[in-house]
Amino acid sequence: MDGKTLHPCNLENISNSTTEPKEEDEMSLLPCQKKFKLRPQDEISLDSIFSSLLTKVQPSSEEFRNLQWNLNAKDFHNEKQSMLFEEKFYISQLRDGDCKLNEEVKIFMERELEEVGELHFRVEESYDGYVVYGKSHMAKDKGKYCSGHWTRGKYDDKFKLICEKRSEYDYVDNARIERTLDARIIDDKLIAKRETKINNEVQRFKAVMNVKGRDDVFVLDGGVMLLMRYLIINNFRGDFNYFTMNLFGKVLRCKLSVHEERKNIRMFHRSFANVIQVTNTQYFNDYPQEVAETFFTANGKIILHFWHGFRYVLHETKGFIKKEERIVPKLELMWRSQNELLEQYRLKKQLTYENAMAYFGDHPELSDFLMDFVLNVIQYKPDNVLEFAVRFFQKFRKPSPVT
């Protein structure tokens, strides 16, 4: 399969027929069922035609029972559900040189990378397609400055742009620069609004393009993530062309190349085998402007992403993680989950209480002794009750025998 034969935006929806045609010699339909009977003038879907043909050659029930499918239910996925995901990436900076992955096996060590930020990306379902959310935050110049971006977009079931807004901020020479792009398609017109803000100076531009009758795929930042995941989970191999617009307002022709050969990558303590490599190349006036590489698992999960000529890497796994101190809950809370243990706990607690009360009954002088201690605590109100109690009870300690 190549990029010329698969086009997500040209995929036609094939309706599923809920009824199967009846044989002529079967029982006639009931009055309440006649509305489901297909007539020559009705619109018959392709699925209905195949269903009619297959009813003639369907295997018997005995053949179905003896058939060995050798399929695992976990291997099946609903395409809509597969496109709904949430991922968190770590942003790291290479200490030396730019990032290129030309070797068959590439190993990233902690000494090569310095973590500087995070990226969160989430895809949710809408009534007519998908909604994407993205947000990043990154420290620069050893934490002196920070930069980041946020994205929110909406696409229909065929990944056609409905609207997307992207904003990013950065610091250059003590000046805060903010760029915002708002693009949406309304009445077959692409309306793009761009804003650049440098400190207190603002520049705004607006462009309107007629896209009526065009089948070209036009997606922005969030749509590219959707598009790549769709190609991976549908086993696409080859080149896929689409168009996008950067934050400077340029319309760029882009090409996604899904490579046939698989890679092996080791990130810190984790190894990934049979990784799918996707190269994203942007062209302006047929000249390659930017190249990015992304590495996926077979189910569309991103392992690694980076841009040629840049020193920043996105990766889903992390290096050494310091173990957090484990807080052990009270034993009573653990016993509450099991009735037998809880009953034993209550029995022990009752016996302890009864033994203590019996001891108090045999030694009535303890009541006056403890009452005196409580009155001293109330009178002096010590900041450290435990330390006060140690000094209080030390007065009653028997002196050591003189040797």
Side-chain angles (χ1 to χ4, degrees):
M1 186 180 296
D2 55 18
K4 297 180 180 179
T5 58
L6 176 63
H7 204 301
C9 286
N10 291 333
L11 297 179
E12 297 294 337
N13 294 326
I14 299 179
S15 60
N16 295 323
S17 177
T18 57
T19 60
E20 294 182 357
K22 297 289 186 179
E23 298 290 339
E24 292 297 334
D25 55 349
E26 289 183 356
M27 183 182 297
S28 60
L29 297 176
L30 297 175
C32 61
Q33 296 175 317
K34 288 184 178 180
K35 64 179 181 179
F36 299 107
K37 185 177 179 179
L38 294 177
R39 298 172 300 171
Q41 60 268 32
D42 293 334
E43 181 182 355
I44 302 177
S45 67
L46 187 62
D47 186 59
S48 301
I49 297 174
F50 279 115
S51 298
S52 302
L53 297 175
L54 290 176
T55 53
K56 309 293 184 181
V57 292
Q58 278 188 350
S60 64
S61 299
E62 185 66 25
E63 290 175 325
F64 270 121
R65 284 194 295 268
N66 297 330
L67 185 62
Q68 299 295 327
W69 295 98
N70 296 325
L71 295 174
N72 189 351
K74 294 182 179 179
D75 296 334
F76 293 91
H77 62 81
N78 179 283
E79 184 175 296
K80 182 77 171 180
Q81 294 300 321
S82 298
M83 297 302 299
L84 309 179
F85 62 95
E86 182 175 1
E87 292 187 345
K88 173 183 176 181
F89 305 100
Y90 301 99
I91 306 175
S92 294
Q93 182 180 8
L94 270 74
R95 298 181 185 274
D96 298 312
D98 298 331
C99 186
K100 284 190 177 182
L101 190 61
N102 296 325
E103 302 87 351
E104 185 65 26
V105 179
K106 175 65 179 178
I107 301 177
F108 285 99
M109 307 298 291
E110 289 184 70
R111 63 175 178 267
E112 296 183 75
L113 301 175
E114 178 184 1
E115 186 180 334
V116 294
E118 292 182 353
L119 168 64
H120 297 262
F121 192 83
R122 185 173 77 255
V123 179
E124 297 181 354
E125 183 180 8
S126 67
Y127 70 95
D128 56 353
Y130 307 93
V131 179
V132 297
Y133 303 90
K135 186 177 182 181
S136 68
H137 178 82
M138 184 174 63
K140 297 179 62 177
D141 295 336
K142 298 182 179 180
K144 186 177 179 181
Y145 302 109
C146 63
S147 61
H149 93 292
W150 63 264
T151 300
R152 183 170 182 175
K154 187 176 181 181
Y155 294 82
D156 65 11
D157 288 329
K158 296 182 180 180
F159 307 103
K160 183 179 179 181
L161 172 70
I162 298 176
C163 62
E164 180 170 327
K165 188 172 183 179
R166 174 186 169 93
S167 177
E168 68 175 27
Y169 63 94
D170 197 358
Y171 284 89
V172 178
D173 296 332
N174 296 325
R176 179 182 172 91
I177 301 176
E178 298 180 26
R179 298 185 181 93
T180 302
L181 175 65
D182 187 328
R184 57 190 69 233
I185 295 180
I186 302 176
D187 296 333
D188 295 326
K189 292 182 179 180
L190 173 63
I191 303 174
K193 298 179 181 179
R194 183 169 64 91
E195 178 180 295
T196 302
K197 182 178 181 181
I198 304 177
N199 291 337
N200 295 326
E201 297 182 5
V202 181
Q203 293 180 342
R204 296 184 177 90
F205 300 91
K206 180 180 179 180
V208 180
M209 290 172 279
N210 186 6
V211 294
K212 184 177 181 180
R214 296 186 65 94
D215 294 331
D216 302 318
V217 181
F218 183 85
V219 293
L220 298 184
D221 187 62
V224 175
M225 297 282 284
L226 280 175
L227 186 57
M228 288 194 297
R229 187 178 179 94
Y230 177 82
L231 296 177
I232 292 298
I233 64 177
N234 284 279
N235 299 317
F236 176 83
R237 298 294 182 271
D239 296 334
F240 187 94
N241 296 311
Y242 70 95
F243 290 89
T244 189
M245 179 182 291
N246 62 14
L247 289 171
F248 295 96
K250 293 182 179 179
V251 177
L252 305 174
R253 179 177 65 85
C254 304
K255 181 177 68 175
L256 287 173
S257 300
V258 184
H259 299 270
E260 184 69 33
E261 60 177 339
R262 302 299 179 94
K263 293 277 188 176
N264 296 323
I265 298 177
R266 180 172 178 82
M267 287 292 300
F268 306 128
H269 60 283
R270 294 188 62 185
S271 296
F272 300 91
N274 299 321
V275 175
I276 302 173
Q277 179 184 5
V278 179
T279 304
N280 188 10
T281 307
Q282 294 184 354
Y283 297 88
F284 183 69
N285 292 334
D286 294 329
Y287 179 78
Q289 188 177 45
E290 184 175 298
V291 179
E293 292 188 45
T294 313
F295 296 85
F296 292 86
T297 60
N299 60 357
K301 183 176 179 62
I302 295 178
I303 301 172
L304 176 67
H305 175 84
F306 59 86
W307 300 264
H308 289 186
F310 292 86
R311 300 177 60 187
Y312 295 104
V313 181
L314 295 179
H315 50 98
E316 67 89 24
T317 188
K318 198 174 182 180
F320 174 75
I321 301 177
K322 184 179 179 180
K323 292 185 178 180
E324 297 182 358
E325 182 181 359
R326 183 183 177 187
I327 302 176
V328 181
K330 291 183 179 180
L331 196 56
E332 179 184 359
L333 301 179
M334 300 173 65
W335 284 353
R336 287 177 180 175
S337 61
Q338 298 189 18
N339 293 331
E340 294 182 0
L341 294 179
L342 181 59
E343 190 62 31
Q344 291 293 326
Y345 168 77
R346 289 173 177 171
L347 180 60
K348 291 282 187 181
K349 187 175 181 180
Q350 183 66 24
L351 291 175
T352 303
Y353 176 77
E354 292 175 355
N355 292 336
M357 294 305 296
Y359 187 79
F360 268 97
D362 296 337
H363 302 276
E365 66 277 8
L366 284 176
S367 298
D368 298 333
F369 183 74
L370 293 177
M371 181 62 70
D372 185 43
F373 169 70
V374 174
L375 290 175
N376 276 271
V377 171
I378 296 175
Q379 179 181 358
Y380 293 105
K381 298 180 177 62
D383 295 332
N384 192 327
V385 180
L386 179 60
E387 183 181 349
F388 179 82
V390 171
R391 295 200 308 268
F392 180 83
F393 289 109
Q394 278 182 343
K395 296 185 296 182
F396 304 97
R397 186 176 59 180
K398 292 182 180 180
S400 303
V402 179
T403 57

